[in-house]
Amino acid sequence: MGSARSDGTDGAGGTDGASEAADAQLLAAHKILIAGGFGVGKTTLVSAISEVRPLLTEERLSSAGAGLDDLRGVAGKTTTTVAMDFGRITISERLVLYLFGVPGQERFWFMWDELAYGALGAVVLADVRRLRDCFPSVNYFETRSLPFVVAINCFDDARRYDPEEVRVALDLDPGVPALLCDARQLSSVKNVLTTLVESISAEDQNPRRMASALPPV
């Protein structure tokens, strides 16, 4: 009778069950929040990069939001997210990100804690024409010590600022990345997400602790 192989393969040269299980565990899936003010481009960002048909909860603006939704700079906007946006993107063969776009208006902030549960990090979209609108998002993630990056969405009619100028205006900590992006372009959005993941990895020397932040899906 032959003895068991000790090199991790069966007698036919295939991978044994333990090795297959170990390989499967190397695939990491994490929740990332996409936040920012009303009309800053969160839905556009999720739609631009999601490899699956995104789940969008947009409804037409109505009289209920009159006097509450600030349309300065986004006068052509006719819809708004009332729950969340959801998408998925495979960054590499070992990393999948689940994107949750959170509603920007104050009246929907009660949902943030639920959506933030189990998140690995966040992207705060900023519009330089309405920069103060992203202060609540920055404060929320700073207060909860959730890693985030600030992505400055480059609207066609907006003045271009150096990311360092925006960093000063938002009083960001030195470790928070700030970069320009175009929420309509897949490559630009992927660069934002890669920057976030790399920033988290650089600060977290324990990959197992990162894996513990898997979203409850």
Side-chain angles (χ1 to χ4, degrees):
M1 296 180 62
S3 60
R5 298 286 297 272
S6 60
D7 58 0
T9 61
D10 58 25
T15 306
D16 62 24
S19 296
E20 290 177 351
D23 288 343
Q25 291 175 359
L26 293 177
L27 176 63
H30 294 293
K31 176 194 284 187
I32 300 295
L33 300 185
I34 311 298
F38 173 67
V40 76
K42 300 180 293 294
T43 299
T44 299
L45 183 150
V46 173
S47 299
I49 198 169
S50 180
E51 63 194 8
V52 298
R53 183 177 181 179
L55 170 64
L56 308 178
T57 59
E58 287 206 311
E59 297 291 341
R60 294 190 63 83
L61 293 173
S62 67
S63 59
L68 298 175
D69 298 331
D70 185 358
L71 295 177
R72 288 176 299 173
V74 288
K77 186 172 177 60
T78 60
T79 61
T80 184
T81 298
V82 296
M84 68 173 187
D85 299 321
F86 173 79
R88 186 189 73 196
I89 177 64
T90 301
I91 296 296
S92 70
E93 62 180 8
R94 297 299 187 188
L95 178 63
V96 174
L97 300 180
Y98 294 101
L99 309 179
F100 288 78
V102 300
Q105 297 99 311
E106 184 175 356
R107 64 183 184 275
F108 295 128
W109 286 355
F110 68 92
M111 301 175 58
W112 283 31
D113 286 342
E114 287 294 326
L115 292 175
Y117 180 79
L120 180 67
V123 173
V124 175
L125 270 178
D127 180 351
V128 296
R129 302 169 302 177
R130 299 146 51 97
L131 196 58
R132 69 177 61 184
D133 289 358
C134 70
F135 281 143
S137 300
V138 170
N139 181 66
Y140 182 88
F141 299 128
E142 286 182 341
T143 301
R144 289 157 180 77
S145 299
L146 187 69
F148 67 97
V149 300
V150 172
I152 305 154
N153 198 5
C154 297
F155 289 90
D156 293 336
D157 59 345
R159 180 180 173 183
R160 296 292 189 270
Y161 288 90
D162 186 279
E164 288 305 310
E165 296 180 87
V166 177
R167 173 190 299 282
V168 172
L170 294 177
D171 192 26
L172 298 177
D173 290 337
V176 177
L179 66 163
L180 300 176
C181 83
D182 186 334
R184 302 167 297 185
Q185 300 294 327
L186 186 151
S187 59
S188 183
V189 175
K190 189 170 184 178
N191 180 54
V192 170
L193 296 174
T194 300
T195 299
L196 173 62
V197 172
E198 290 177 345
S199 175
I200 296 172
S201 298
E203 294 184 5
D204 196 331
Q205 301 302 315
N206 188 345
R208 289 188 177 182
R209 191 171 73 83
M210 289 180 62
S212 69
L214 288 172
V217 296

